[in-house]
Amino acid sequence: MMPTGGGKSLCFQIPALMLADEDSPCDTKPLTLVLSPLIALMKDQVDGLQSRGIAATFINSSLSSEQRRQRYDQVASGKYSLLYVTPERFRKAEFLSVIAKRTVRLLAVDEAHCISEWGHDFRPDYTKLAEFRELLGNPTTMALTATATPDVQADIVKQLGLEPSECRLFHEGIGRPNLELIVEEVWEREEKLNKIGERMRRPGKAESGKAESGIVYFSLIRTLEEVSEQLRGLGVDHLCYHGDLSRSDRRWVQDAFMKSEVAWVLATNAFGMGVDKEDIRYVIHAEVPGSIESYYQEIGRAGRDGKPSQCVLLYDQSDLEIQAEFLRWSNPDADYYQRLYDLLVLDQIKVQAFGIDWLREKLSGKNRRDRRLETALGMLQRFGIIDDENELGDVVVRGELPEHLSNAELRSEKRLRDQKKLYAMVEYVKSNGDYRPFIENYFGLGAAATVPWAIQGIERFSKDNA
């Protein structure tokens, strides 16, 4: 565990370079395999490595079939010493065939909280890591994250198929002393707008001479667009980033922000994981995040250059209603999953013909605001029950509904955990200014005894144990 921006990637990139320098035939040169959950994240890391002349690449769905074939051939021939993939890539027979031709000496699991169903971005394919490790010959493995509670830390080890005695926990803490944590309670939209506009107008200058940059996070695209319109009316220049933009527009916005062409961006949480901009001076949350994990990940964008930066949470109690709605949307119950599965199997022709609107009406009546369907389809894709590369027009069911989705008790437990995470966010707001200690306690800092497999005390990186 290491803070966002603390240098986790170096923990596997430097060993990868050392392994690549070993004398061995080209086709058996050691390979470091990195499992990463996001295409944007792996692309940014690979771009940075290649700019330094390091033989790194990625294979994911952003490549054309011809590009993937060429990349497979290059990996098999030993051209690359560092390869980034998502865990879902292990479903592909051609990938398994290629990887079998290389010797994987190091397996790095980035954003390792995705391994655990108790984490904040669970990915089912991460739970197969024990199986993947066996396929690779059980190489040395490291799991890296900034956001794992003690329960999630223990679950990561379990999901890796390892015994506690085989692991060591290196906890660099979560401290970012240059970040000033601020909570300001607001009572109406106008007060919130004024506080956002006040900070966006501040005349601070970065070393480049340009205005200091910042991110304003929103939960709802609708609210983001309303605030954006009001700010433009006040002459406040900014960019907007959210999931309804096209991929090319999102890339353009991110590039413009990274190059400091525009100082501020209003964004949903879709913006962040691939953003490695050192001089972000402000991260403002215009609405309450759904968990401490999400909040900590997002404020981690600020102050990566080590200089003072502000992280401001504008707390309006009515915003909790938004997160409560998100909780419902993100937690379809077992009955909902079963009804969706039955429709996909028994009414496949109608699903293919009439698409998502027909499905939504069958499952939720006339309530078009109900977004449980998007969550449920996404989980079916993550479990490999339906393909994630096709639209519903040619959807095919490829397996049984997994117990994780069909078991009513498991679904209820998942919803309860999410409710507790939201309640912890409220407790954070009400912690009377002790924000940093609250976050440290949440992530188990100073409480290694709550992680039964952890070494005595919490180890910190040093020259003695690095």
Side-chain angles (χ1 to χ4, degrees):
M1 284 193 67
M2 207 176 203
T4 300
K8 290 185 292 295
S9 300
L10 291 176
C11 295
F12 57 81
Q13 289 171 351
I14 291 174
L17 294 178
M18 296 172 69
L19 289 169
D21 283 341
E22 291 186 356
D23 293 329
S24 60
C26 185
D27 60 347
T28 60
K29 186 175 285 292
L31 178 69
T32 295
L33 186 65
V34 183
L35 299 186
S36 180
L38 290 180
I39 290 173
L41 191 60
M42 64 174 73
K43 183 182 185 304
D44 286 348
Q45 287 203 19
V46 168
D47 286 349
L49 291 166
Q50 289 183 345
S51 71
R52 291 165 173 80
I54 295 170
T57 193
F58 60 81
I59 297 174
N60 58 42
S61 59
S62 71
L63 303 176
S64 68
S65 57
E66 177 60 21
Q67 288 174 318
R68 280 198 296 274
R69 186 192 64 78
Q70 291 179 352
R71 202 73 57 93
Y72 280 139
D73 289 345
Q74 291 167 338
V75 171
S77 68
K79 179 176 180 179
Y80 298 106
S81 56
L82 240 170
L83 174 63
Y84 287 73
V85 296
T86 65
E88 288 81 5
R89 185 58 39 184
F90 277 82
R91 298 180 192 173
K92 311 294 183 181
E94 60 267 34
F95 172 73
L96 295 178
S97 176
V98 166
I99 209 71
K101 298 176 182 177
R102 297 293 299 275
T103 301
V104 176
R105 292 277 300 280
L106 176 62
L107 174 64
V109 184
D110 206 6
E111 305 299 339
H113 51 269
C114 296
I115 294 175
S116 175
E117 63 179 317
W118 299 333
H120 64 286
D121 189 21
F122 174 57
R123 297 276 286 261
D125 282 77
Y126 271 87
T127 65
K128 302 175 184 175
L129 282 175
E131 175 186 333
F132 300 161
R133 290 184 68 248
E134 190 171 352
L135 284 171
L136 299 171
N138 292 313
T140 297
T141 302
M142 61 173 66
L144 309 101
T145 180
T147 50
T149 62
D151 284 343
V152 172
Q153 294 168 34
D155 198 34
I156 288 170
V157 174
K158 177 183 176 182
Q159 297 292 353
L160 285 170
L162 297 170
E163 294 296 326
S165 60
E166 297 177 279
C167 302
R168 295 188 77 187
L169 168 65
F170 294 90
H171 201 323
E172 179 64 5
I174 60 167
R176 295 282 303 282
N178 62 311
L179 301 186
E180 182 183 3
L181 306 182
I182 300 170
V183 176
E184 296 181 1
E185 194 159 1
V186 295
W187 298 98
E188 54 187 21
R189 178 70 63 84
E190 184 177 353
E191 183 181 2
K192 185 180 291 187
L193 176 67
N194 289 338
K195 287 184 178 293
I196 294 171
E198 174 192 341
R199 283 180 168 84
M200 291 178 72
R201 289 196 193 95
R202 288 185 179 178
K205 296 288 184 181
E207 289 183 1
S208 64
K210 298 182 179 180
E212 290 182 338
S213 61
I215 305 171
V216 186
Y217 279 111
F218 293 82
S219 300
L220 294 174
I221 296 175
R222 181 182 70 251
T223 309
L224 183 158
E225 291 176 334
E226 290 172 358
V227 172
S228 173
E229 185 177 346
Q230 292 171 307
L231 288 171
R232 293 195 193 285
L234 297 172
V236 181
D237 191 25
H238 61 275
L239 300 163
C240 292
Y241 186 106
H242 53 74
D244 282 356
L245 297 177
S246 67
R247 179 177 292 182
S248 59
D249 285 344
R250 292 198 301 271
R251 172 55 65 181
W252 180 86
V253 170
Q254 183 168 327
D255 287 346
F257 181 71
M258 294 292 288
K259 295 173 183 175
S260 299
E261 294 173 2
V262 180
W264 284 83
V265 60
L266 311 189
T268 60
N269 61 6
F271 186 79
M273 291 292 282
V275 176
D276 190 9
K277 181 175 168 64
E278 290 188 343
D279 59 349
I280 296 173
R281 295 277 76 87
Y282 300 95
V283 170
I284 301 173
H285 279 84
E287 293 166 313
V288 179
S291 69
I292 296 292
E293 289 95 332
S294 297
Y295 175 68
Y296 181 68
Q297 191 111 39
E298 288 155 14
I299 65 173
R301 304 297 133 201
R304 290 191 163 202
D305 55 5
K307 296 181 180 178
S309 303
Q310 282 192 353
C311 303
V312 183
L313 172 58
L314 301 177
Y315 177 68
D316 183 345
Q317 187 171 341
S318 64
D319 289 343
L320 295 174
E321 298 173 11
I322 297 171
Q323 292 300 335
E325 189 84 332
F326 282 172
L327 268 174
R328 194 175 77 86
W329 292 348
S330 62
N331 286 285
D333 59 23
D335 177 65
Y336 189 95
Y337 276 110
Q338 189 62 59
R339 287 188 292 131
L340 171 60
Y341 182 82
D342 291 342
L343 286 169
L344 293 174
V345 172
L346 302 176
D347 286 318
Q348 183 186 46
I349 294 175
K350 290 182 180 179
V351 172
Q352 292 175 339
F354 304 125
I356 196 166
D357 289 336
W358 181 84
L359 261 181
R360 195 188 312 281
E361 185 170 338
K362 285 292 182 181
L363 291 163
S364 307
K366 300 295 184 181
N367 185 5
R368 292 184 174 273
R369 292 188 65 248
D370 189 332
R371 289 291 179 266
R372 286 179 296 170
L373 179 56
E374 283 79 0
T375 298
L377 288 172
M379 289 305 292
L380 290 179
Q381 289 170 351
R382 286 186 174 190
F383 275 98
I385 307 305
I386 59 177
D387 289 339
D388 56 0
E389 298 174 357
N390 299 320
E391 299 296 330
L392 291 178
D394 52 6
V395 67
V396 175
V397 175
R398 302 192 179 280
E400 298 294 325
L401 191 64
E403 184 183 11
H404 184 84
L405 304 180
S406 63
N407 185 301
E409 185 176 346
L410 291 178
R411 301 309 308 158
S412 295
E413 289 175 357
K414 164 67 166 56
R415 182 165 184 162
L416 179 60
R417 284 197 300 272
D418 287 354
Q419 289 170 336
K420 288 180 177 179
K421 288 181 179 182
L422 179 57
Y423 181 66
M425 199 70 234
V426 177
E427 288 184 310
Y428 169 80
V429 169
K430 302 296 185 181
S431 62
N432 297 321
D434 294 329
Y435 306 127
R436 201 175 300 277
F438 184 95
I439 293 176
E440 290 174 348
N441 288 334
Y442 185 85
F443 287 113
L445 186 62
T450 65
V451 188
W453 53 275
I455 58 175
Q456 187 64 34
I458 291 183
E459 285 205 35
R460 297 182 177 279
F461 286 111
S462 68
K463 291 180 179 178
D464 293 335
N465 64 24

